[in-house]
Amino acid sequence: MERENRRDIKMKNQHPHPRDIPSVEVLVQKLLQDSAYAAFPRRLITYLVRDESKKMRRSILTGKTQWNEDAFFASLRMKAVPFLQSGLRRVVNATGVVIHTNIGRACLPQDTLIPLRQVAEFYCTLEYDVEKGKRGSRHAHVEALIKYLCASEDGFAVNNNAAAVLLALNTFAEGKEVLISRGELVEIGASFRIPDILSKSGAILKEVGTTNKTKLGDYEKAVTKNTGLILKVHPSNFRVVGFTQSVSLRDLVILGRKLKLPVIEDLGSGCLFNLSPYGLDEPVVAESVKSGAAVVTFSGDKLLGGPQAGIIAGQSRYVAKLKKNPLARAVRIDKLSLCALEQTLRLYSLREKPQEHIPVLNMLTRTPAQLRGDAEKLAAKLEPVKDAVDARVEKSPSLPGGGSLPDKSIESYGVALYPKFLKLNVLEAALRMNDIPVIVRIEKNRLLLDVRTLQEDDFQIIVRALSTIFKNA
Ligand SMILES: *Cc1c(COP(=O)(O)O)cnc(C)c1O
């Protein structure tokens, strides 16, 4: 007590000094008493205290601050957050954007979970041929499925579609020119731009045509002795409308044959069967393969609804070259993704209606009547908080997302929340900071819970989150 007082007096009279910081041991002892850190071993606590003390010492020496125990522990707590709580964790997607890249794109089908767990927990046949009792191929597990579903001679999978494009360009056009329409030099999120991937692959970009119009003649004129291939990219996340023209894959293939150039198509989303009966017009992979592309590439976790992966389907002689490129080893798919991909492709092959088993397809093909019914169910569950918020079933156009069908908003229903005592942005933040974050949209003075992207037990999480928020408000 007396010592404490003396220190207080000293602090008032002298400049702050690092010796004001209690010893690491004293601070560690305090934290060991704190129930918030009960799960932490002593060495982790010691690490956090040392690190924080070092920071404190620096800021005292530079005269920025003086010793303050509360501030010290508050700052340490921030540093402890990654150890207190998993960073990568579940969220509730109430945005209505089905393929949302920031929150994990596709939710995997239920049928993938048991195989995934088996392959994760135990040894597996990853590169082992049980019949021959010797080394097998990682690619074998999805080859037959891709061939069947894409109507192709051969196929395999890599880490993601960006890797598939990189691999294809490097294999067929390193040091050579790649013809691509100016209208297709797209950026898919800041981390994937066709011109950047192209230059990293060692290929040389040769733009043809204009942003809105490219004709077959533009390609023909651009061909030189050093042309390596023709690339077609599905402009998946935007549409050029109005005065436009582009060359069909079929016509490019005919030109390619004449000039002995392979034609490659990056389809982006990769739709395995025709979704136009549901109002979703995306090119079907098998159609591109049938048009005669050397290979086509697409993502595993966009419209396909599987894990992150890049799928390559096409003619045997081209696919064989891709597999042999040493880069293929650097971008190979890991066993968990491969397992989930195989199981997802099995669902496409074996189920009469894959859309009933694959969440992405299920969400995209829900009818307005079903969505309305779901929204009514959710609104009814919000009865207990009705004094704090009006919850009304309303229409809400939702987006497929993930660079699929950018100009397409699909009719959906949601529960619109009109809080009586909280601002919309405060409620939005509170939902986001829930222990299982609930991600929502604010639009037109309402906070919208779009039911298209909600799964069954998400309802309970939303109800509990809102009850807690309004109890504490
Ligand atoms: C999404 C997309 C990619 C990148 O695919 P990832 O699987 O995310 O690597 C490449 N090209 C197109 C056209 C895309 O839409």
Side-chain angles (χ1 to χ4, degrees), residues 120-253:
E121 193 174 359
F122 303 103
Y123 292 103
C124 64
T125 54
L126 182 62
E127 288 184 3
Y128 188 76
D129 185 328
V130 263
E131 262 169 45
K132 297 195 180 119
K134 55 182 191 187
R135 192 191 165 144
S137 160
R138 172 181 304 248
H139 304 313
H141 309 292
V142 288
E143 184 184 309
L145 297 162
I146 294 174
K147 280 160 67 171
Y148 169 61
L149 293 166
C150 302
S152 63
E153 289 176 12
D154 198 0
F156 75 118
V158 294
N159 180 57
N160 60 6
N161 188 30
V165 176
L166 177 72
L167 181 64
L169 291 171
N170 177 266
T171 307
F172 303 121
E174 192 176 18
K176 295 187 189 153
E177 287 167 359
V178 171
L179 306 189
I180 176 170
S181 161
R182 285 202 165 83
E184 296 174 5
L185 291 171
V186 301
E187 169 178 312
I188 292 109
S191 54
F192 183 87
R193 295 175 134 195
I194 290 289
D196 295 343
I197 286 282
L198 216 140
S199 86
K200 283 289 170 197
S201 75
I204 302 153
L205 174 66
K206 184 94 179 251
E207 304 172 32
V208 308
T210 63
T211 309
N212 58 329
K213 280 202 170 208
T214 301
K215 299 166 194 164
L216 194 60
D218 296 325
Y219 287 92
E220 277 175 313
K221 265 186 283 172
V223 175
T224 69
K225 278 207 302 287
N226 198 31
T227 305
L229 69 81
I230 302 174
L231 177 65
K232 185 160 178 69
V233 178
H234 180 55
S236 46
N237 55 359
F238 71 102
R239 290 280 185 274
V240 180
V241 293
F243 189 61
T244 65
Q245 183 175 354
S246 63
V247 183
S248 73
L249 180 65
R250 184 74 215 142
D251 287 342
L252 288 180
V253 168

Side-chain angles (χ1 to χ4, degrees), residues 32 52 60 70 74 82 106 109 157 160 199 213 247 264 267 270 275 338 351 362 367 405 418 443 458:
L32 285 171
E52 199 52 38
I60 290 179
D70 288 344
N160 60 6
S199 86
K213 280 202 170 208
V247 183
I264 287 175
L267 277 169
L275 286 174
L338 185 60
R351 298 298 164 106
N362 185 281
T367 65
L405 309 145
Y418 302 87
E443 52 162 56
D458 287 342

Side-chain angles (χ1 to χ4, degrees), residues 401-421:
S404 310
L405 309 145
D407 53 352
K408 197 89 199 171
S409 76
I410 36 185
E411 189 182 341
S412 193
Y413 279 90
V415 175
L417 299 181
Y418 302 87
K420 296 178 185 172
F421 313 108

